């Protein structure tokens, strides 16, 4: 299959309306979209990514009014969260409308929905005038793509179209909040933080990852995630790094010239760290780097989301070798 690359939102929307797979930019990461009511097209998403069938997808729409055919109800807390943070980097889990094919939500009776704010995502969704089911546009288990080139690296020849845009600003995936229970529960940390959410709904909590039902609630957390080919290590400071042969370093601490890393990303803020993380993982793999050191940051705010992604990548590299 040839994968069309285009800057033209209209062309990309025509592809999507014809039941094809279209990767598109959002402010978090690039998504791989299909018409959410077309089970055949949605099945092709799972095939193209090599994604387990029980890992549910997020459905994207341009505006709040477009949610009604997708969900059976929007509880008060979800309304508050959406009216405060959407359009933006947040996904909200609601009861699934019975008309939405269950393949979209991996068989669950809930559905994650998101209203991205990126102008190209907005224009694309408006042009399709359809709800678009879209996971991150990477091969399953690889770091999420923050550029269209990263999408092409994983999925060229496996999808129909890439809508080209600039690199994603945020760089890590949306905050996922389950609003189907008695209080909102964060299943995946993101740039909308616990403190942000508690400002509008004070009862919001993180999921208890040790609780027996945590896996059931967030199926994605069961799978290998965000992992480059290289080993990933979390380090508290440069002093913890012994071996710099074929190694990369990303963090906030100033680069020490005594460490001749092959690749270095010295980030200026937590936002910059998030923005660059997945692209850095991919650059390290392309450079044949064997070890990536990531500097630990405090596990709060955006730091929590960063530590979650890096922690999973580190776990995947220790678990798979
Ligand atoms: O920023 C993002 O969220 C990007 C862009 C493209 O929107 N999308 C994204 O999708 O990261 P994906 O499929 O890579 O991650 C979605 C996560 C998975 O961990 C999945 O298990 C979880 O959300 N999820 C989706 N629907 C769910 C549901 N109904 N119940 C529990 N978890 C759900
Ligand atoms: Mg993903």
């Amino acid at each position: 299959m040839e994968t069309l690359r285009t800057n033209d939102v209209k062309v990309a929307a025509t592809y999507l309306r014809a039941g094809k797979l279209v990767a598109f930019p959002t402010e978090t990461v690039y998504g791989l979209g299909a018409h959410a009511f077309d089970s055949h097209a949605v099945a092709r998403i799972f095939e193209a990514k090599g994604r387990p069938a029980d890992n549910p997808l997020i459905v994207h729409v341009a505006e709040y009014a477009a949610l009604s055919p997708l969900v059976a109800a929007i509880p008060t807390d979800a309304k508050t969260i959406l009216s405060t943070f959407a359009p933006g980097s947040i996904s909200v889990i609601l009861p699934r409308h019975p008309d939405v094919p269950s393949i979209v939500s991996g068989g669950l009776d809930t559905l994650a929905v998101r209203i991205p704010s990126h102008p190209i995502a907005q224009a694309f969704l408006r042009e399709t005038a359809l709800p678009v089911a879209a996971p991150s546009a990477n091969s399953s288990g690889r770091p999420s793509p923050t550029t269209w080139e990263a999408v092409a690296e994983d999925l060229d020849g496996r999808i129909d179209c890439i809508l080209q845009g600039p690199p994603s600003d945020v760089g890590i995936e949306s905050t996922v909040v389950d609003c189907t229970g008695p209080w909102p529960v964060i299943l995946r940390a993101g740039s909308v933080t616990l403190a942000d959410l508690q400002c509008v709904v004070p009862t919001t909590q993180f999921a208890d990852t040790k609780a027996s039902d945590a896996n059931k609630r967030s199926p994605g957390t069961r799978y290998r995630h965000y992992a480059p080919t290289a080993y990933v290590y979390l380090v508290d400071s440069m002093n913890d790094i012994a071996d710099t042969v074929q190694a990369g370093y990303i963090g906030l601490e100033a680069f020490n010239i005594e460490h001749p890393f092959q690749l270095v990303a010295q980030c200026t803020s937590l936002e910059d760290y998030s923005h660059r993380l997945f692209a850095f993982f991919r650059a390290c793999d392309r450079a044949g780097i064997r070890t990536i050191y990531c500097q630990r940051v405090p596990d709060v705010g955006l730091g929590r989301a960063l530590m979650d992604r890096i922690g999973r990548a580190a776990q995947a590299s220790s678990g798979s070798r």
Side-chain angles (χ1 to χ4, degrees), residues 51-63:
R51 182 177 175 105
D54 62 351
N55 193 359
L57 309 179
I58 299 169
V59 177
H60 299 67
V61 294
E63 59 189 346

Side-chain angles (χ1 to χ4, degrees), residues 28 51 55-56 58 60 110 114 135-136 173-174 188 217 220:
T28 55
R51 182 177 175 105
N55 193 359
I58 299 169
H60 299 67
T110 58
R114 178 168 172 226
S136 50
E173 308 85 347
S174 62
R188 181 175 70 183
R217 300 188 75 166

Side-chain angles (χ1 to χ4, degrees), residues 27 29 40 67 70 84 97 100-101 119 124 145 160 171 174 210 220 246 255 287 294 304 308 313 315:
E27 68 276 21
V29 300
H40 179 71
L67 293 175
L70 299 173
T84 311
H97 193 292
V100 177
F124 172 63
D160 301 292
S174 62
K210 290 179 191 72
Q246 285 187 291
F255 174 54
C294 303
R304 170 106 184 196
D308 169 67
Q315 212 178 11

Side-chain angles (χ1 to χ4, degrees), residues 24-32 49 51 54-60 89-91 93-94 104-106 108-114 116 134-138 144 172-176 178 187-188 215-221 223 225-226 309:
F24 62 99
T26 85
E27 68 276 21
T28 55
V29 300
Y30 275 65
L32 175 59
K49 282 183 57 106
R51 182 177 175 105
D54 62 351
N55 193 359
L57 309 179
I58 299 169
V59 177
H60 299 67
S89 53
I90 191 154
S91 299
I93 296 176
L94 296 169
V104 174
S105 61
L108 298 174
D109 54 12
T110 58
L111 187 72
V113 293
R114 178 168 172 226
S136 50
N138 51 287
S144 291
I172 56 174
E173 308 85 347
S174 62
T175 305
V176 175
D178 184 352
L187 302 184
R188 181 175 70 183
N215 276 351
K216 206 164 59 205
R217 300 188 75 166
S218 187
T221 58
Y223 300 109
H225 247 101
Y226 316 115
R309 304 311 190 276

Side-chain angles (χ1 to χ4, degrees), residues 78-300:
K79 268 187 199 137
T80 306
I81 290 170
L82 285 165
S83 67
T84 311
F85 301 107
S89 53
I90 191 154
S91 299
V92 173
I93 296 176
L94 296 169
R96 176 169 57 90
H97 193 292
D99 290 349
V100 177
S102 69
I103 184 176
V104 174
S105 61
L108 298 174
D109 54 12
T110 58
L111 187 72
V113 293
R114 178 168 172 226
I115 306 172
S117 65
H118 194 286
I120 300 178
Q122 276 283 328
F124 172 63
L125 292 168
R126 284 178 197 281
E127 192 67 35
T128 63
L130 291 171
V132 174
S136 50
N138 51 287
S139 293
S140 199
R142 293 274 296 147
S144 291
T146 55
T147 62
W148 69 261
E149 290 92 339
V151 177
E153 186 174 79
D154 280 13
L155 299 176
D156 240 352
R158 305 180 65 84
I159 63 176
D160 301 292
C161 176
I162 298 174
L163 176 56
Q164 296 165 300
S168 299
D169 285 334
V170 177
I172 56 174
E173 308 85 347
S174 62
T175 305
V176 175
V177 191
D178 184 352
C179 292
T180 62
W183 52 78
V185 175
I186 301 176
L187 302 184
R188 181 175 70 183
S191 66
V192 176
T193 66
L194 175 68
D196 293 337
L197 285 159
Q198 284 181 339
C199 277
V200 295
V201 183
T203 51
T204 306
Q205 294 179 10
F206 275 115
D208 178 359
T209 48
K210 290 179 191 72
S212 57
D213 71 341
N215 276 351
K216 206 164 59 205
R217 300 188 75 166
S218 187
T221 58
R222 277 202 300 274
Y223 300 109
R224 184 174 185 271
H225 247 101
Y226 316 115
T229 306
Y231 286 89
V232 174
Y233 292 105
L234 261 174
V235 291
D236 289 310
S237 85
M238 284 281 200
N239 299 328
D240 297 344
I241 300 171
D243 182 8
T244 57
V245 178
Q246 285 187 291
Y249 167 80
I250 183 166
L252 297 170
E253 197 177 321
F255 174 54
N256 178 342
I257 202 70
E258 284 164 38
H259 293 297
F261 292 103
Q262 206 171 319
L263 273 183
V264 171
Q266 199 209 312
C267 307
T268 54
S269 61
L270 290 179
E271 286 74 16
D272 189 40
Y273 198 163
S274 304
H275 171 71
R276 295 168 71 176
L277 181 71
F278 289 146
F280 186 73
F281 281 174
R282 285 175 178 269
C284 285
D285 279 351
R286 281 195 304 275
I289 280 171
R290 295 211 314 235
T291 315
I292 304 173
Y293 297 102
C294 303
Q295 191 194 357
R296 194 188 299 281
V297 294
D299 208 13
V300 291

